[in-house]
Amino acid sequence: MQLPKLKHTDSGLFFLMAGPCAIEGRDMALRIAERIVAITDRLQIPYIFKGSYRKANRTKLNSFTGIGDELALSILEEVGRTFNIPTVTDIHESHEAAIAAPHVDVLQIPAFLCRQTELLEAAARTGKAVNVKKGQFLSGESMRFAAEKVKATNPDAVVFLTDRGNSFGYGDLVVDYRNIPAMQSFGVPVVMDCTHSLQQPNQSSGVTGGKPALIATIAKAAIAVGADGLFIETHPNPAEAKSDGANMLPLDQLEALLERLVRVREALMYNE
């Protein structure tokens, strides 16, 4: 995948989208970015910093939604400028595309909103890359239409698709790895969201649960199947995270995981 400021694209490795679920503050964001940049530079992994400037799809009324749009977006811009890396944030309504685009390199469409035509078109019109997350209620094959909406609006747009599991009963998700080659058949990079695919939604507490112990399992399987990229939310202390802490990877576990994933990818490259 070609993206301005994306480094190590000739390494043959998967690219990584990683960072906190939400921007909680400047120091936290810069500290996380600095650590991941150091790891990915050493391992030669192309890296995109992820952070939501606003969390709109929350279950409870009093759930954390952000520190303020202007402040969070300025922090994302500072991260990109400080480390010379691309950044990604999600948008939830059409008017947000023009607000967020000047500050980041990639606009992300949340899974629940992947069929919102006006939202996809607005993201495409900004000229920024667009990452569309596959709805939990959709097959990989059906995501062709989401990619087509972006490309129809802006034929030059960089588009990639992200799987994050499928609904399984009322309170769990299951990953169908057939979705990865299915979406790759559209000629776009495909990402596996290793953390949100382990969510346990619809909990009676109103706070989503998760199974972070299985992040490595999801990630290794995705690389083995041939995913182009991985999406991993990480935090220095997930128990204290203001959003989605139940399924985030502790930051101090990221390096060892990426080292294992690089070995899996290199084994596949050796046999190709």
Side-chain angles (χ1 to χ4, degrees):
M1 185 182 67
Q2 298 302 311
L3 195 66
K5 299 189 289 184
L6 189 63
K7 305 171 186 175
H8 313 306
T9 55
D10 58 351
S11 67
L13 297 176
F14 53 90
F15 64 91
L16 175 69
M17 304 171 69
C21 176
I23 299 296
E24 300 176 8
R26 177 180 180 273
D27 291 344
M28 180 271 286
L30 289 169
R31 184 169 72 252
I32 293 174
E34 182 178 32
R35 180 64 183 136
I36 302 178
V37 167
I39 296 169
T40 53
D41 278 348
R42 182 177 70 80
L43 297 175
Q44 301 286 288
I45 296 173
Y47 173 52
I48 304 168
F49 177 85
K50 184 271 169 183
S52 296
Y53 80 96
R54 183 200 301 176
K55 299 302 296 184
N57 52 341
R58 304 289 88 186
T59 299
K60 296 170 67 176
L61 180 62
N62 62 351
S63 293
F64 174 81
T65 58
I67 59 175
D69 295 354
E70 193 172 318
L71 176 57
L73 287 168
S74 71
I75 291 170
L76 279 163
E77 186 173 354
E78 182 177 359
V79 168
R81 183 175 62 249
T82 300
F83 300 103
N84 192 31
I85 55 173
T87 58
V88 56
T89 198
D90 31 3
I91 58 173
H92 302 84
E93 297 184 59
S94 301
H95 72 272
E96 293 181 40
I99 295 171
H103 304 278
V104 297
D105 303 277
V106 183
L107 296 177
Q108 181 168 280
I109 308 301
F112 283 128
L113 303 177
C114 67
R115 297 179 66 198
Q116 298 297 103
T117 300
E118 290 185 1
L119 181 60
L120 291 164
E121 291 174 336
R125 281 194 294 269
T126 66
K128 296 301 174 84
V130 181
N131 177 35
V132 188
K133 286 197 168 183
K134 183 186 73 61
Q136 302 92 321
F137 44 86
L138 293 176
S139 68
E141 288 83 357
S142 64
M143 286 299 290
R144 171 170 64 91
F145 305 108
E148 286 178 351
K149 289 177 182 179
V150 177
K151 284 290 191 179
T153 304
N154 179 6
D156 296 323
V158 173
V159 183
F160 43 109
L161 302 175
T162 295
D163 190 12
R164 53 144 306 160
N166 283 80
S167 296
F168 183 72
Y170 290 107
D172 211 347
L173 299 171
V174 63
V175 176
D176 181 352
Y177 286 96
R178 295 176 298 177
N179 286 326
I180 292 176
M183 293 191 289
Q184 285 173 328
S185 71
F186 311 144
V188 300
V190 173
V191 181
M192 184 71 234
D193 184 338
C194 304
T195 43
H196 288 100
S197 61
L198 291 167
Q199 281 184 333
Q200 294 179 303
N202 303 319
Q203 301 297 304
S204 59
S205 64
V207 179
T208 298
K211 295 181 178 179
L214 293 175
I215 290 172
T217 301
I218 296 292
K220 286 184 286 187
I223 295 301
V225 171
D228 301 288
L230 298 177
F231 181 107
I232 298 175
E233 288 188 342
T234 183
H235 191 283
N237 187 352
E240 296 181 358
K242 297 182 182 298
S243 178
D244 281 4
N247 54 267
M248 278 201 277
L249 181 74
L251 184 59
D252 62 6
Q253 296 180 19
L254 181 63
E255 184 168 17
L257 172 59
L258 291 176
E259 288 174 344
R260 294 198 298 273
L261 296 175
V262 166
R263 290 198 294 272
V264 174
R265 176 59 187 149
E266 288 176 342
L268 292 172
M269 291 166 62
Y270 179 78
N271 291 302
E272 286 177 351

